[in-house]
Amino acid sequence: MTRDVRMLDYLRSRLSPLQNYLVDGYLDGRVSRREFLRHGSLIGLSLPFLGRISLAAGFGAVPSLARAEAQPGATIRVACNAPIQSVDPISNGDAGGMLMVQQVGEFLCIDGPDLVLKPCLATSWTPNREATVWTFTLRRGVKFHSGSEMKADDVVATFDRLTDPGSISHALAMFKGVLQKGATRKVDDYKIEFHLDSPYGNFPYLVSSDNFNAIILPASYTGDFEKSWDGTGPFKIGKFTPKVGATFIRNDHYWGPMALPARTEFLFFTDIQPQILAFQGGQVDVINSVPALAGVSVLSDPTANIIGIRSSAHQAVHMRCDIEPFNDPRVRRAIAFCLDRERLVKGLMRGNGDIGNDSPFAPVYPSTDPTVPQRKRDIAQAKELMKAAGKEKGFQMAVTAMQFQEIPDYAQLIQDWVKEIGVDLKINVMNWKSYVGDRVYGKSPWLDSVMGITIWGHRGVPNYFLTTILASDGLFNAAHFKNKEFDALAKSYAGAADLEAQRTAAGKIQRLLLDETPQLIGYFEKTLTVTKKNIVGVQARAISQLFLQNAGRA
């Protein structure tokens, strides 16, 4: 087995991210033989090479080296952010609550670090020709912790809850214009169909771990998750104490390989520094998510192992396109030319990130068009734009930002940089709850501010960023950006069913956003998870999820 795994690692290392993306799609059935041959020939892939990959991988049957090295029966201790509100799969939107639900619940499919979806509660999925109907085949023999078997009725009920406009579903923005309540239909006990509002080539990501609210719950679920914790996962609830922590125990009736740890313990914190002290003091084995700037001491700790995952997470600086002075795109572009993006990645993020280009198409996405020119700092051009816009004398402006991770430091850097073009930028920092307000226009400093900085977590595909944050009717369009050409291109991207068509649409969107610049995206951050050197098998995700079923002490 070890020889096979090493061969697989060697073969994988010879592939680019795009090649690995196509190989995984072919192996799990999402990419047909015809599509593989058509796209693979363009980037140097052949079926003989794929055959060697398949043989080494055993089509997913070979256990990882980490699991083989881990000793079973351990207790894995994790430091993490405390849930901000009651833990509920439907309404949760914070990292702490999301992490708790994910320990006991599962998704139809799982988004890996390579952004390729893997089967979980669904074994396969296929679209119709137009990508308007997606059919999912469910895994047989899966049981909820309460004892009942998971079937199609449970999946239908789950997505009807999440798409109910009268519910408290945090996923409503994800499904807006894509899937309505009642459009998830049972074919038989182990097969369902999603009937979409319009073509959507990346739809499986909306029902995967990429959508952290999409945990499959029993059809009978009526709320108050903190009493039942009824999922299908490899761990069951042991004890949950709000603001303190939680313990989980191995589920001995799990449908897959039994979890290696007998127990996991999560300690809740409201700040990163106490987590670092707990790690260095030996109270915990893992820190789920470490900010690059505030976590310097632990990231350079010789007793620590760093799991760094490239992501699409970013801090967006929106500029109100409907209000002076940002109703002129030349002013917005001038601000953009002030940013020193290389310094942001090397300095602010300590090298743990990718340079941004003022669009949500992160370098990690296979569909991002790499031929689009990278915007760079150019003060001379910024001054020319300000003069053309009649703003050569500059202006005063306030930027509203949330008190989170490196955002206040980011705001100060922008403040210093825009001074060179005469902009006097005042900084207004607010706590997260005050900043987001009621999350509706007219009642939210975030959505109403002329200029603001907001954190956006990782997504495995850019669709959410395009439709929710930048579309004319986007629920969280803080820039108040309304552009019919963009809306049409975003719709074209969403409907594209193959990578080539997605990249074509992406390139047009990227160039349009460089021209319009409704928001600044200076960098994309890595998700950083820290473990003790003797802890192996921890599987972190860019969305700050943590899979511990293969974890143990070496």
Side-chain angles (χ1 to χ4, degrees), residues 223-248:
D224 205 355
F225 187 77
E226 289 184 9
K227 286 186 177 180
S228 67
W229 294 85
D230 197 7
T232 61
F235 294 101
K236 301 168 65 174
I237 188 65
K239 182 181 180 181
F240 174 77
T241 306
K243 300 181 180 180
V244 177
T247 61
F248 300 91

PDB file of all heavy atoms in Angstrom, residues 223-248:
ATOM      1  N   GLY A 223     -35.566  21.955  14.390  1.00  0.00           N
ATOM      2  CA  GLY A 223     -34.790  23.019  15.012  1.00  0.00           C
ATOM      3  C   GLY A 223     -34.140  22.586  16.310  1.00  0.00           C
ATOM      4  O   GLY A 223     -34.197  21.420  16.702  1.00  0.00           O
ATOM      5  N   ASP A 224     -33.510  23.547  16.991  1.00  0.00           N
ATOM      6  CA  ASP A 224     -32.812  23.323  18.261  1.00  0.00           C
ATOM      7  C   ASP A 224     -31.751  22.235  18.119  1.00  0.00           C
ATOM      8  O   ASP A 224     -31.760  21.221  18.810  1.00  0.00           O
ATOM      9  CB  ASP A 224     -33.813  22.956  19.353  1.00  0.00           C
ATOM     10  CG  ASP A 224     -33.268  23.309  20.750  1.00  0.00           C
ATOM     11  OD1 ASP A 224     -32.099  23.734  20.820  1.00  0.00           O
ATOM     12  OD2 ASP A 224     -34.001  23.153  21.727  1.00  0.00           O
ATOM     13  N   PHE A 225     -30.825  22.486  17.229  1.00  0.00           N
ATOM     14  CA  PHE A 225     -29.787  21.500  16.916  1.00  0.00           C
ATOM     15  C   PHE A 225     -28.930  21.169  18.127  1.00  0.00           C
ATOM     16  O   PHE A 225     -28.440  20.038  18.258  1.00  0.00           O
ATOM     17  CB  PHE A 225     -28.900  22.032  15.782  1.00  0.00           C
ATOM     18  CG  PHE A 225     -27.912  21.036  15.259  1.00  0.00           C
ATOM     19  CD1 PHE A 225     -28.311  20.011  14.411  1.00  0.00           C
ATOM     20  CD2 PHE A 225     -26.570  21.115  15.622  1.00  0.00           C
ATOM     21  CE1 PHE A 225     -27.390  19.089  13.921  1.00  0.00           C
ATOM     22  CE2 PHE A 225     -25.642  20.204  15.138  1.00  0.00           C
ATOM     23  CZ  PHE A 225     -26.055  19.183  14.293  1.00  0.00           C
ATOM     24  N   GLU A 226     -28.750  22.104  19.032  1.00  0.00           N
ATOM     25  CA  GLU A 226     -27.892  21.863  20.183  1.00  0.00           C
ATOM     26  C   GLU A 226     -28.447  20.807  21.135  1.00  0.00           C
ATOM     27  O   GLU A 226     -27.748  20.358  22.038  1.00  0.00           O
ATOM     28  CB  GLU A 226     -27.643  23.168  20.929  1.00  0.00           C
ATOM     29  CG  GLU A 226     -26.735  24.126  20.174  1.00  0.00           C
ATOM     30  CD  GLU A 226     -26.415  25.384  20.963  1.00  0.00           C
ATOM     31  OE1 GLU A 226     -26.757  25.427  22.162  1.00  0.00           O
ATOM     32  OE2 GLU A 226     -25.827  26.306  20.394  1.00  0.00           O
ATOM     33  N   LYS A 227     -29.684  20.385  20.915  1.00  0.00           N
ATOM     34  CA  LYS A 227     -30.236  19.285  21.718  1.00  0.00           C
ATOM     35  C   LYS A 227     -30.053  17.930  21.049  1.00  0.00           C
ATOM     36  O   LYS A 227     -29.861  16.915  21.717  1.00  0.00           O
ATOM     37  CB  LYS A 227     -31.730  19.524  21.982  1.00  0.00           C
ATOM     38  CG  LYS A 227     -32.011  20.614  23.000  1.00  0.00           C
ATOM     39  CD  LYS A 227     -33.507  20.689  23.329  1.00  0.00           C
ATOM     40  CE  LYS A 227     -33.771  21.729  24.402  1.00  0.00           C
ATOM     41  NZ  LYS A 227     -35.234  21.823  24.732  1.00  0.00           N
ATOM     42  N   SER A 228     -30.099  17.894  19.715  1.00  0.00           N
ATOM     43  CA  SER A 228     -30.057  16.606  19.009  1.00  0.00           C
ATOM     44  C   SER A 228     -28.684  16.271  18.436  1.00  0.00           C
ATOM     45  O   SER A 228     -28.240  15.136  18.506  1.00  0.00           O
ATOM     46  CB  SER A 228     -31.088  16.593  17.878  1.00  0.00           C
ATOM     47  OG  SER A 228     -30.722  17.515  16.859  1.00  0.00           O
ATOM     48  N   TRP A 229     -28.020  17.253  17.787  1.00  0.00           N
ATOM     49  CA  TRP A 229     -26.743  17.025  17.109  1.00  0.00           C
ATOM     50  C   TRP A 229     -26.836  15.784  16.211  1.00  0.00           C
ATOM     51  O   TRP A 229     -25.931  14.946  16.169  1.00  0.00           O
ATOM     52  CB  TRP A 229     -25.597  16.853  18.110  1.00  0.00           C
ATOM     53  CG  TRP A 229     -25.293  18.087  18.897  1.00  0.00           C
ATOM     54  CD1 TRP A 229     -25.906  18.495  20.051  1.00  0.00           C
ATOM     55  CD2 TRP A 229     -24.319  19.099  18.601  1.00  0.00           C
ATOM     56  NE1 TRP A 229     -25.370  19.682  20.486  1.00  0.00           N
ATOM     57  CE2 TRP A 229     -24.386  20.070  19.621  1.00  0.00           C
ATOM     58  CE3 TRP A 229     -23.382  19.254  17.578  1.00  0.00           C
ATOM     59  CZ2 TRP A 229     -23.566  21.202  19.634  1.00  0.00           C
ATOM     60  CZ3 TRP A 229     -22.557  20.374  17.603  1.00  0.00           C
ATOM     61  CH2 TRP A 229     -22.656  21.328  18.617  1.00  0.00           C
ATOM     62  N   ASP A 230     -27.932  15.677  15.488  1.00  0.00           N
ATOM     63  CA  ASP A 230     -28.209  14.449  14.730  1.00  0.00           C
ATOM     64  C   ASP A 230     -27.673  14.550  13.303  1.00  0.00           C
ATOM     65  O   ASP A 230     -28.281  15.170  12.439  1.00  0.00           O
ATOM     66  CB  ASP A 230     -29.720  14.189  14.706  1.00  0.00           C
ATOM     67  CG  ASP A 230     -30.043  12.753  14.306  1.00  0.00           C
ATOM     68  OD1 ASP A 230     -29.098  11.939  14.176  1.00  0.00           O
ATOM     69  OD2 ASP A 230     -31.238  12.440  14.151  1.00  0.00           O
ATOM     70  N   GLY A 231     -26.520  13.947  13.088  1.00  0.00           N
ATOM     71  CA  GLY A 231     -25.925  13.927  11.762  1.00  0.00           C
ATOM     72  C   GLY A 231     -25.584  12.515  11.339  1.00  0.00           C
ATOM     73  O   GLY A 231     -26.043  11.538  11.934  1.00  0.00           O
ATOM     74  N   THR A 232     -24.758  12.397  10.314  1.00  0.00           N
ATOM     75  CA  THR A 232     -24.358  11.083   9.788  1.00  0.00           C
ATOM     76  C   THR A 232     -22.856  10.858   9.914  1.00  0.00           C
ATOM     77  O   THR A 232     -22.336   9.859   9.427  1.00  0.00           O
ATOM     78  CB  THR A 232     -24.726  10.971   8.300  1.00  0.00           C
ATOM     79  OG1 THR A 232     -24.025  11.998   7.561  1.00  0.00           O
ATOM     80  CG2 THR A 232     -26.222  11.125   8.074  1.00  0.00           C
ATOM     81  N   GLY A 233     -22.138  11.779  10.558  1.00  0.00           N
ATOM     82  CA  GLY A 233     -20.694  11.789  10.505  1.00  0.00           C
ATOM     83  C   GLY A 233     -19.975  10.764  11.367  1.00  0.00           C
ATOM     84  O   GLY A 233     -20.594  10.023  12.135  1.00  0.00           O
ATOM     85  N   PRO A 234     -18.632  10.744  11.267  1.00  0.00           N
ATOM     86  CA  PRO A 234     -17.824   9.763  11.989  1.00  0.00           C
ATOM     87  C   PRO A 234     -17.705  10.045  13.480  1.00  0.00           C
ATOM     88  O   PRO A 234     -17.203   9.206  14.231  1.00  0.00           O
ATOM     89  CB  PRO A 234     -16.457   9.879  11.308  1.00  0.00           C
ATOM     90  CG  PRO A 234     -16.417  11.266  10.757  1.00  0.00           C
ATOM     91  CD  PRO A 234     -17.819  11.575  10.358  1.00  0.00           C
ATOM     92  N   PHE A 235     -18.186  11.224  13.919  1.00  0.00           N
ATOM     93  CA  PHE A 235     -18.186  11.550  15.348  1.00  0.00           C
ATOM     94  C   PHE A 235     -19.595  11.917  15.801  1.00  0.00           C
ATOM     95  O   PHE A 235     -20.379  12.476  15.037  1.00  0.00           O
ATOM     96  CB  PHE A 235     -17.243  12.724  15.638  1.00  0.00           C
ATOM     97  CG  PHE A 235     -15.799  12.426  15.400  1.00  0.00           C
ATOM     98  CD1 PHE A 235     -15.180  12.857  14.237  1.00  0.00           C
ATOM     99  CD2 PHE A 235     -15.054  11.709  16.326  1.00  0.00           C
ATOM    100  CE1 PHE A 235     -13.837  12.583  14.003  1.00  0.00           C
ATOM    101  CE2 PHE A 235     -13.714  11.423  16.104  1.00  0.00           C
ATOM    102  CZ  PHE A 235     -13.106  11.857  14.937  1.00  0.00           C
ATOM    103  N   LYS A 236     -19.895  11.607  17.080  1.00  0.00           N
ATOM    104  CA  LYS A 236     -21.156  11.967  17.709  1.00  0.00           C
ATOM    105  C   LYS A 236     -20.867  12.949  18.836  1.00  0.00           C
ATOM    106  O   LYS A 236     -19.753  12.991  19.364  1.00  0.00           O
ATOM    107  CB  LYS A 236     -21.847  10.711  18.258  1.00  0.00           C
ATOM    108  CG  LYS A 236     -22.141   9.660  17.202  1.00  0.00           C
ATOM    109  CD  LYS A 236     -22.559   8.329  17.824  1.00  0.00           C
ATOM    110  CE  LYS A 236     -23.873   8.434  18.567  1.00  0.00           C
ATOM    111  NZ  LYS A 236     -24.321   7.096  19.038  1.00  0.00           N
ATOM    112  N   ILE A 237     -21.873  13.706  19.211  1.00  0.00           N
ATOM    113  CA  ILE A 237     -21.675  14.669  20.284  1.00  0.00           C
ATOM    114  C   ILE A 237     -21.417  13.955  21.607  1.00  0.00           C
ATOM    115  O   ILE A 237     -22.034  12.926  21.918  1.00  0.00           O
ATOM    116  CB  ILE A 237     -22.897  15.615  20.419  1.00  0.00           C
ATOM    117  CG1 ILE A 237     -22.624  16.762  21.399  1.00  0.00           C
ATOM    118  CG2 ILE A 237     -24.141  14.830  20.836  1.00  0.00           C
ATOM    119  CD1 ILE A 237     -21.554  17.696  20.968  1.00  0.00           C
ATOM    120  N   GLY A 238     -20.456  14.493  22.350  1.00  0.00           N
ATOM    121  CA  GLY A 238     -20.237  14.034  23.716  1.00  0.00           C
ATOM    122  C   GLY A 238     -20.849  15.054  24.662  1.00  0.00           C
ATOM    123  O   GLY A 238     -21.817  14.789  25.362  1.00  0.00           O
ATOM    124  N   LYS A 239     -20.290  16.289  24.617  1.00  0.00           N
ATOM    125  CA  LYS A 239     -20.793  17.356  25.462  1.00  0.00           C
ATOM    126  C   LYS A 239     -20.524  18.692  24.786  1.00  0.00           C
ATOM    127  O   LYS A 239     -19.473  18.891  24.176  1.00  0.00           O
ATOM    128  CB  LYS A 239     -20.110  17.320  26.834  1.00  0.00           C
ATOM    129  CG  LYS A 239     -20.606  18.369  27.816  1.00  0.00           C
ATOM    130  CD  LYS A 239     -19.855  18.266  29.142  1.00  0.00           C
ATOM    131  CE  LYS A 239     -20.344  19.309  30.140  1.00  0.00           C
ATOM    132  NZ  LYS A 239     -19.599  19.219  31.428  1.00  0.00           N
ATOM    133  N   PHE A 240     -21.487  19.594  24.881  1.00  0.00           N
ATOM    134  CA  PHE A 240     -21.324  20.937  24.318  1.00  0.00           C
ATOM    135  C   PHE A 240     -21.658  21.954  25.395  1.00  0.00           C
ATOM    136  O   PHE A 240     -22.741  21.917  25.981  1.00  0.00           O
ATOM    137  CB  PHE A 240     -22.235  21.146  23.108  1.00  0.00           C
ATOM    138  CG  PHE A 240     -22.211  22.559  22.576  1.00  0.00           C
ATOM    139  CD1 PHE A 240     -21.145  22.997  21.808  1.00  0.00           C
ATOM    140  CD2 PHE A 240     -23.247  23.440  22.849  1.00  0.00           C
ATOM    141  CE1 PHE A 240     -21.101  24.307  21.321  1.00  0.00           C
ATOM    142  CE2 PHE A 240     -23.224  24.743  22.365  1.00  0.00           C
ATOM    143  CZ  PHE A 240     -22.151  25.180  21.590  1.00  0.00           C
ATOM    144  N   THR A 241     -20.717  22.860  25.658  1.00  0.00           N
ATOM    145  CA  THR A 241     -20.925  23.922  26.634  1.00  0.00           C
ATOM    146  C   THR A 241     -20.683  25.265  25.952  1.00  0.00           C
ATOM    147  O   THR A 241     -19.547  25.569  25.573  1.00  0.00           O
ATOM    148  CB  THR A 241     -19.965  23.792  27.823  1.00  0.00           C
ATOM    149  OG1 THR A 241     -20.089  22.483  28.390  1.00  0.00           O
ATOM    150  CG2 THR A 241     -20.271  24.831  28.887  1.00  0.00           C
ATOM    151  N   PRO A 242     -21.736  26.063  25.733  1.00  0.00           N
ATOM    152  CA  PRO A 242     -21.564  27.345  25.048  1.00  0.00           C
ATOM    153  C   PRO A 242     -20.470  28.189  25.686  1.00  0.00           C
ATOM    154  O   PRO A 242     -20.329  28.226  26.911  1.00  0.00           O
ATOM    155  CB  PRO A 242     -22.938  28.009  25.195  1.00  0.00           C
ATOM    156  CG  PRO A 242     -23.896  26.857  25.340  1.00  0.00           C
ATOM    157  CD  PRO A 242     -23.145  25.827  26.115  1.00  0.00           C
ATOM    158  N   LYS A 243     -19.667  28.834  24.851  1.00  0.00           N
ATOM    159  CA  LYS A 243     -18.582  29.731  25.233  1.00  0.00           C
ATOM    160  C   LYS A 243     -17.406  29.023  25.907  1.00  0.00           C
ATOM    161  O   LYS A 243     -16.416  29.676  26.262  1.00  0.00           O
ATOM    162  CB  LYS A 243     -19.093  30.862  26.142  1.00  0.00           C
ATOM    163  CG  LYS A 243     -20.167  31.730  25.502  1.00  0.00           C
ATOM    164  CD  LYS A 243     -20.601  32.841  26.438  1.00  0.00           C
ATOM    165  CE  LYS A 243     -21.683  33.701  25.784  1.00  0.00           C
ATOM    166  NZ  LYS A 243     -22.130  34.812  26.668  1.00  0.00           N
ATOM    167  N   VAL A 244     -17.504  27.712  26.072  1.00  0.00           N
ATOM    168  CA  VAL A 244     -16.425  26.966  26.735  1.00  0.00           C
ATOM    169  C   VAL A 244     -15.777  25.969  25.791  1.00  0.00           C
ATOM    170  O   VAL A 244     -14.579  26.020  25.517  1.00  0.00           O
ATOM    171  CB  VAL A 244     -16.939  26.242  28.004  1.00  0.00           C
ATOM    172  CG1 VAL A 244     -15.814  25.419  28.631  1.00  0.00           C
ATOM    173  CG2 VAL A 244     -17.492  27.245  28.997  1.00  0.00           C
ATOM    174  N   GLY A 245     -16.581  25.022  25.274  1.00  0.00           N
ATOM    175  CA  GLY A 245     -16.006  24.030  24.383  1.00  0.00           C
ATOM    176  C   GLY A 245     -16.956  22.889  24.089  1.00  0.00           C
ATOM    177  O   GLY A 245     -18.131  22.903  24.480  1.00  0.00           O
ATOM    178  N   ALA A 246     -16.445  21.878  23.386  1.00  0.00           N
ATOM    179  CA  ALA A 246     -17.263  20.722  23.003  1.00  0.00           C
ATOM    180  C   ALA A 246     -16.373  19.490  22.910  1.00  0.00           C
ATOM    181  O   ALA A 246     -15.177  19.585  22.628  1.00  0.00           O
ATOM    182  CB  ALA A 246     -17.945  20.977  21.657  1.00  0.00           C
ATOM    183  N   THR A 247     -16.966  18.343  23.154  1.00  0.00           N
ATOM    184  CA  THR A 247     -16.274  17.074  22.948  1.00  0.00           C
ATOM    185  C   THR A 247     -17.120  16.198  22.038  1.00  0.00           C
ATOM    186  O   THR A 247     -18.357  16.274  22.051  1.00  0.00           O
ATOM    187  CB  THR A 247     -16.037  16.333  24.275  1.00  0.00           C
ATOM    188  OG1 THR A 247     -17.307  16.037  24.887  1.00  0.00           O
ATOM    189  CG2 THR A 247     -15.195  17.155  25.228  1.00  0.00           C
ATOM    190  N   PHE A 248     -16.445  15.376  21.240  1.00  0.00           N
ATOM    191  CA  PHE A 248     -17.111  14.460  20.324  1.00  0.00           C
ATOM    192  C   PHE A 248     -16.471  13.079  20.492  1.00  0.00           C
ATOM    193  O   PHE A 248     -15.274  12.961  20.770  1.00  0.00           O
ATOM    194  CB  PHE A 248     -16.977  14.943  18.882  1.00  0.00           C
ATOM    195  CG  PHE A 248     -17.580  16.295  18.651  1.00  0.00           C
ATOM    196  CD1 PHE A 248     -16.812  17.449  18.785  1.00  0.00           C
ATOM    197  CD2 PHE A 248     -18.916  16.425  18.309  1.00  0.00           C
ATOM    198  CE1 PHE A 248     -17.353  18.706  18.590  1.00  0.00           C
ATOM    199  CE2 PHE A 248     -19.480  17.687  18.108  1.00  0.00           C
ATOM    200  CZ  PHE A 248     -18.700  18.823  18.248  1.00  0.00           C
TER     201      PHE A 248
END
